Amino acid sequence: PVALDPLPPIEGATRTIALMGGVTRVVNEADASLKKGTPTDIQWAAQLATLVLRANPTNTQAANIKASAYRQLAPPQTNPNWRNWYLTSERELLGLIPKAAVPGGLTSPQIVVNLPSSAWVNQWTMRLKADETIAANTQRSLGFWITDANQGYLLRLRKAVCEFVDTGSNQAETDAGAQLLLTMNTATLNSLILTDRANQPEAFTVELTKAINNGSVQVRGGGLAETLSFFANFDKAPSSNIPLSTR
């Protein structure tokens, strides 16, 4: 039960350090453990440095010891998230600017363009402005036909629901199910994906407008205005620009 309501981290660290003989002694012990170089000693060095940093976040020596420990603990990890957390935290401890958060989503657009195109089309279903479409009793459908991939998709809006349908290579089904049909090749689709970013929500509209005007995207069942009106039913891409926690 003692673990149910422990002392606040700063107070607990301060009392523990005092019991161990003070900050200087704890930092020296952490440095000595780091230099021993065994996995256990490196981990112990990181834990001792953490105690010091909780009590005094500006202690540069402790930060450097902890960063060095993280740098050595990262390579053996087979779990990429675990490894990357070590390395990201090392950069933060050293005062380096962390790598920029992924703009326009929780996954890099460069990764998305290398996934099946269905992944990007399907993600629109999670961005529907459902409160608006249910109030407007929206009943619309839009299709994508990717010419060089011989692949089709449908997005069907029914009030507060957006349904994704993979029509595969059945162009007739794609044509029949879409009130508005966008035809393009994979290169054009990838250009749209790369502009679909949370930090530049207008870039997708600009790229789509340009593609329709220059013929890279052909529209059946309407034109530019109808296409932009359909995508206005969706929120901008989600963002991963969240503050880094204390490491």
Side-chain angles (χ1 to χ4, degrees):
V2 71
L4 293 175
D5 187 22
L7 289 175
I10 294 176
E11 184 175 353
T14 301
R15 286 173 176 258
T16 302
I17 290 170
L19 186 65
M20 296 169 72
V23 170
T24 300
R25 182 173 181 181
V26 176
V27 169
N28 289 340
E29 177 62 27
D31 187 50
S33 294
L34 183 67
K35 290 175 180 176
K36 290 179 181 177
T38 70
T40 300
D41 284 312
I42 295 171
Q43 176 65 31
W44 181 234
Q47 291 182 208
L48 290 176
T50 298
L51 274 176
V52 176
L53 291 171
R54 282 179 181 166
N56 181 7
T58 62
N59 190 301
T60 302
Q61 190 177 0
N64 288 336
I65 290 171
K66 189 174 181 180
S68 180
Y70 279 169
R71 186 164 57 252
Q72 296 178 65
L73 291 169
Q77 303 308 323
T78 57
N79 182 311
N81 291 333
W82 192 346
R83 173 186 177 277
N84 292 344
W85 196 8
Y86 274 137
L87 297 178
T88 301
S89 299
E90 177 208 359
R91 290 174 59 83
E92 187 178 14
L93 285 161
L94 295 177
L96 301 175
I97 300 174
K99 292 181 179 180
V102 175
L106 305 180
T107 304
S108 164
Q110 286 75 15
I111 293 177
V112 176
V113 296
N114 287 287
L115 295 174
S117 51
S118 58
W120 181 75
V121 179
N122 192 11
Q123 57 89 36
W124 287 96
T125 63
M126 296 174 281
R127 293 163 58 179
L128 183 67
K129 298 177 181 177
D131 53 340
E132 296 180 12
T133 55
I134 193 171
N137 192 27
T138 304
Q139 305 280 346
R140 303 176 68 181
S141 62
L142 179 140
F144 293 85
W145 181 254
I146 316 303
T147 54
D148 54 337
N150 196 36
Q151 178 69 51
Y153 310 103
L154 295 171
L155 289 175
R156 293 172 175 162
L157 301 189
R158 300 191 309 276
K159 295 186 178 181
V161 174
C162 182
E163 177 188 9
F164 167 76
V165 180
D166 187 336
T167 56
S169 59
N170 191 334
Q171 188 172 4
E173 181 183 352
T174 309
D175 290 345
Q179 297 169 325
L180 192 65
L181 179 67
L182 306 182
T183 301
M184 68 195 79
N185 60 25
T186 300
T188 300
L189 177 67
N190 287 345
S191 294
L192 293 175
I193 292 173
L194 289 170
T195 58
D196 186 24
R197 295 166 170 263
N199 60 338
Q200 294 179 317
E202 72 286 349
F204 174 76
T205 299
V206 171
E207 183 67 19
L208 181 58
T209 299
K210 182 177 72 173
I212 292 175
N213 287 338
N214 67 22
S216 299
V217 173
Q218 299 176 3
V219 185
R220 190 216 70 193
L224 176 61
E226 289 77 13
T227 304
L228 296 182
S229 175
F230 183 89
F231 284 106
N233 292 300
F234 300 87
D235 286 318
K236 67 180 182 180
S239 174
S240 63
N241 292 313
I242 56 177
L244 289 171
S245 63
T246 300
R247 308 301 182 185

